Amino acid sequence: MLRAKILGTGSALPGEPISNQTLVEQLAARGIESSDAWIVERTGIRQRYIAAPELTTSALATEAARMALADAGLPVESVDLIIVATSTPDMIFPSTACLVQKALGCPGGAAFDVQAVCSGFVYAMANAQAMMAAGMAKTAIVIGAETFSRILDWNDRGTCVLFGDGAGAVVLQAHETDDAGAGLLAARLHADGRHDGILCTPGQVHNGTITGHPFLMMEGQAVFKMAVTVLDQVARETADAANIPLESIDWLIPHQANVRILAATGRKLGLPPEKVVVTVDHHANTSAASVPLALDTARRDGRIKPGHLVMMQGVGGGFTWGAVLARM
């Protein structure tokens, strides 16, 4: 059986980090009240990165992809599949993945975007695994990339303090299953469109003008309750599919929405806090980029090692959720 193995990871963060205090001062100039203490208490976020106006989602995605290829030690010519998970593409079309392919200089293979908001990276990983198992690709780059700052209402302190920009990438390569068992072991994806209104950006371009509301809208309590419930369920479902007991998982990497969701998910799964990778304090919520950014951070600082079992989870607007279990 062909299984997608993670050979390399990479990240891209724009500019210098913006601390809570700096953001609070910027908001105060607009007449919006907030505080560092309020942001930390509610979210755990201490800083975020915001892309300059000229910096595109595809540029961040390309930078992360190059870093992941270097980490994997593979030439760009080997890539025959690029999947980009994003809700903030450069343009309506062509896809961000096609723009990344052009920038990397590896034409010919498949390239497409996945739009599942904060679950996008997990959806993209599952798609890559399925294509590799079917013999449709040998070497893939899967990227989560966002410039979420551009769809935020900076007059809404309930949402504008939560998000940041960035990109994370992984290089996958198809290998026959071996005794070490490395690779993606199982994936489960779900959606429930009945909850479309609790987290959405409902605007669109229509006849050359923006119609509807062009900024992110969120019902925080509804999102929190549903996120904790479905992240618990899908982790158990995915572990069962791989015939892996939950206590054998070395690392849980949930979508980095806020520390309360991360802590609650870990508790429900019976995993100690030290097994939950947390980067939301440094990156804020980067939507589809949050899981690959956290994965790359934990690999590079030495926490995640070869042979470790890593559960990656996403949950986001749609409402969508899913999980991927991988042995590194």
Side-chain angles (χ1 to χ4, degrees), residues 134-181:
M136 297 177 65
K138 174 67 175 176
T139 303
I141 302 176
V142 179
I143 308 166
E146 303 283 13
T147 48
F148 239 61
S149 60
R150 292 168 189 168
I151 58 170
L152 298 179
D153 181 354
W154 291 96
N155 293 310
D156 178 8
R157 78 163 186 164
T159 58
C160 71
V161 301
L162 303 179
F163 296 90
D165 302 333
V170 301
V171 171
L172 301 174
Q173 196 166 70
H175 289 267
E176 291 289 346
T177 305
D178 56 21
D179 292 339

Side-chain angles (χ1 to χ4, degrees), residues 23 27 30-34 38-39 42 149 151-163 198-201 213 215-220:
L23 181 62
L27 293 175
R30 304 170 65 98
I32 309 299
E33 292 186 8
S34 190
W38 185 84
I39 296 170
R42 293 175 62 89
S149 60
I151 58 170
L152 298 179
D153 181 354
W154 291 96
N155 293 310
D156 178 8
R157 78 163 186 164
T159 58
C160 71
V161 301
L162 303 179
F163 296 90
I198 65 174
L199 179 56
C200 59
T201 303
H213 188 72
F215 300 122
L216 180 144
M217 302 170 66
M218 181 174 68
E219 296 178 21

Side-chain angles (χ1 to χ4, degrees), residues 4 11 37 44 52-54 58 98 130 176 227 232 253 282 292 300 303-304:
S11 299
E54 67 276 6
S58 66
C98 282
E176 291 289 346
D232 172 57
I253 307 181
H282 294 296
R300 291 179 184 273
R303 278 178 287 175
I304 295 179

Side-chain angles (χ1 to χ4, degrees), residues 41-44 224 227-229 231-232 252-280 313:
E41 180 182 355
R42 293 175 62 89
T43 70
F224 180 92
V228 173
T229 298
L231 287 175
D232 172 57
L252 179 70
I253 307 181
H255 166 53
Q256 305 288 307
N258 72 56
V259 290
R260 293 186 299 156
I261 291 177
L262 301 181
T265 301
R267 283 196 303 270
K268 292 195 75 170
L269 292 172
L271 296 174
E274 57 268 23
K275 283 193 172 186
V276 181
V277 176
V278 177
T279 59
V280 67
Q313 301 178 285

